[in-house]
Amino acid sequence: MIAHLKGRLDATGLDHAVIDVGGVGYLVGASSRTLASIGPVGEAVTLHTEMLVAEDFIRLVGFSSAAERDWFRLLTGVQGVGARVALAILSALEPTDLARAIASQDKAMVARSNGVGPKLAERIVRELKDKIGGVELGQAGVSIAPVGAGADAVSALLNLGFRPAEASGAVAAAEEELGPGATLDALVRLALRKAAK
């Protein structure tokens, strides 16, 4: 599993980038939002990645942020949403806008994305409503938490099979107890204990 790529941006296309890591060029599919944010060709770049493996292909998809990658994972968990449709949604909506649309069950906002009809948009907002535990509604709108080591800890718990709401809640409780300087290792250990209670 390739978690991230750190190298030099070699080229970009309509739906992909080529990242040169130590002389090896990795072709990485990406949303237009990620492609717009990674900078000019020749510059250093880091992308969070998701590796898709099927019988007839292995493909890397890259994201400018861990939040975008996490949303990709949530979206592709919905029946009828493949990698192409998930990237189209992430091209049309920032993670905070997507969170707001799902929290408010705004099917029309999700349906603005290429390849997403009204029925699929309805399925997406319905199925993800209960899975966005890492999203907080507040006066300033919607913000996705946590970030940094917290986001990596949530990702670790998700990979262990915890539901997003459980993982986010356990990590938030661990962060509160350990404070802002907590290491990833400490966060994951304490979050696992809290999730087990």
Side-chain angles (χ1 to χ4, degrees):
M1 179 74 99
I2 298 173
H4 74 271
L5 292 176
K6 188 180 284 191
R8 184 178 54 81
L9 182 60
D10 203 40
T12 58
L14 286 174
D15 62 352
H16 69 276
V18 177
I19 312 297
D20 184 315
V21 181
V24 177
Y26 290 88
L27 180 73
V28 183
S31 69
S32 60
R33 193 173 300 281
T34 290
L35 291 171
S37 72
I38 59 177
V41 170
E43 294 294 313
V45 64
T46 299
L47 287 179
H48 300 272
T49 57
E50 183 75 3
M51 188 158 57
L52 308 177
V53 180
E55 215 172 272
D56 55 346
F57 72 85
I58 296 175
R59 181 176 176 210
L60 276 177
V61 185
F63 310 94
S64 58
S65 69
E68 189 183 13
R69 181 199 57 209
D70 293 344
W71 274 107
F72 178 83
R73 289 174 177 166
L74 284 172
L75 287 166
T76 54
V78 175
Q79 182 185 353
V81 179
R84 189 168 304 219
V85 171
L87 288 175
I89 292 169
L90 291 168
S91 291
L93 299 169
E94 286 191 32
T96 51
D97 295 331
L98 184 53
R100 189 177 295 116
I102 289 168
S104 63
Q105 296 288 280
D106 187 348
K107 302 180 291 269
M109 183 180 271
V110 177
R112 285 189 220 160
S113 312
N114 286 337
V116 180
K119 285 185 178 177
L120 183 55
E122 183 176 352
R123 185 181 309 138
I124 289 167
V125 297
R126 188 180 67 243
E127 286 189 22
L128 294 185
K129 173 95 170 152
D130 297 331
K131 295 184 178 179
I132 56 172
V135 176
E136 298 172 354
L137 290 169
Q139 292 180 345
V142 176
S143 62
I144 295 183
V147 295
D152 291 338
V154 169
S155 182
L157 265 64
L158 291 174
N159 289 335
L160 291 171
F162 287 91
R163 292 200 335 258
E166 292 173 327
S168 296
V171 170
E175 280 187 312
E176 192 174 310
E177 188 173 315
L178 294 172
T183 65
L184 174 60
D185 187 44
L187 275 176
V188 170
R189 276 197 222 150
L190 185 55
L192 282 170
R193 284 203 302 273
K194 292 196 174 290
K197 287 182 181 177

